[in-house]
Amino acid sequence: MNLYLRLLLTWLRNRHQPLRHYLHVATSRFRVLPHDLDVFGHMNNGRYLQVMDVARVEWMIQTGVASVIRANRWAPILGGGTVRFMRSLRLFDRYEVNTRLLGWDRRWFYLEHSFIDGRGRSAAVGVTRAGLRQRDGWVDACTVANAVHPGAISPEIPGHIHDWVDFEEAICLHSTGQFRPGKADIALREIN
C-alpha cells in the first residue's frame, strides 16, 4: 500500500512541472520507513526494486514518456533488473534515487538507478530494462523515443549493459525450471 502512496505523491509533485529532456537525470527522494525493513533492521532487498519502480515512474513523468504511454494505450513491461548493494539503508535514513536513461535498442530501454544515502555515498545501483507492448505485439523503442522527442537518438549503450543482457539470456537459455544436480552435488551425495 505504501508504494501506491509514494506513486501518488510522485504524481502530485510532478504534475505541473515543465517537461525535461529524455536524457535528464530524475532525482527521487525517499526515507526508509518501518515497513521497508527486513528482520535485520535495514531496507529489504526486494524494496529496492519497488523503489526503482517509483523512481522510474518519476523519470517517465518528468520526461513526457508517461503521457505518450497513456495517449497510445501502451503497456509498460519490465524485462529484467539487477541491483548491486554497497551500503545498508536503516530506519528513517533519507536517500535519493537518481534515474537516468542509458539508451535503447529495438525493444528495450535501459535505465540506471543510483541510490545515494544522506551522506552522499552510493548505497546501491540498479539497472533495469523496460519495453512497451500494444495489442499486436511490442512497440519499437525508436517509435516510442520519437513520440517523446522527435529525432531522438539513443546514446551508445554501455558495454556492461551488453554483458548484463548476455548474462540474463544465458540464464534463460540454461534454465529448466527444475533443479538438476550438477557434478558437485552428486559428488557430495556420494561422500555423505
Side-chain angles (χ1 to χ4, degrees):
M1 183 61 171
N2 73 88
L3 292 176
Y4 291 117
L5 179 59
R6 284 175 171 164
L7 281 170
L8 175 63
L9 292 173
T10 296
W11 179 77
L12 290 171
R13 184 173 52 246
N14 288 283
R15 66 185 175 149
H16 297 301
Q17 298 297 318
L19 289 180
R20 308 282 179 78
H21 190 270
Y22 63 93
L23 294 178
H24 160 73
V25 177
T27 299
S28 306
R29 290 177 175 79
F30 301 95
R31 182 183 289 265
V32 180
L33 300 174
H35 50 270
D36 295 328
L37 299 177
D38 63 16
V39 297
F40 302 108
H42 51 77
M43 193 158 90
N44 182 287
N45 59 355
R47 184 64 81 199
Y48 285 82
L49 292 168
Q50 293 174 327
V51 167
M52 286 164 48
D53 285 343
V54 176
R56 196 167 40 256
V57 167
E58 185 152 17
W59 175 84
M60 291 167 53
I61 293 169
Q62 289 182 2
T63 58
V65 173
S67 299
V68 169
I69 289 172
R70 263 194 321 274
N72 289 283
R73 296 183 176 185
W74 293 331
I77 305 291
L78 191 63
T82 188
V83 182
R84 170 64 163 86
F85 305 102
M86 291 165 277
R87 284 188 173 75
S88 293
L89 294 172
R90 300 208 173 268
L91 184 61
F92 301 126
D93 281 354
R94 291 180 184 271
Y95 65 98
E96 63 185 37
V97 179
N98 296 317
T99 301
R100 70 183 179 119
L101 177 66
L102 297 175
W104 61 87
D105 57 24
R106 185 172 171 89
R107 179 184 294 181
W108 303 110
F109 291 91
Y110 300 93
L111 294 111
E112 178 185 85
H113 310 275
S114 297
F115 288 73
I116 308 299
D117 70 14
R119 295 171 62 187
R121 302 174 303 176
S122 292
V125 64
V127 176
T128 56
R129 64 177 171 171
L132 296 162
R133 288 191 59 91
Q134 56 191 1
R135 287 186 179 190
D136 60 347
W138 291 98
V139 181
D140 188 280
C142 289
T143 301
V144 178
N146 280 294
V148 172
H149 187 98
I153 297 173
S154 173
E156 185 174 340
I157 298 170
H160 68 279
I161 299 301
H162 292 292
D163 294 341
W164 169 61
V165 169
D166 290 345
F167 173 72
E168 280 198 336
E169 295 304 320
I171 290 172
C172 290
L173 181 65
H174 297 290
S175 173
T176 63
Q178 298 176 359
F179 174 75
R180 289 190 343 208
K183 291 178 183 174
D185 298 308
I186 293 168
L188 282 175
R189 236 185 271 144
E190 290 172 0
I191 292 171
N192 294 331

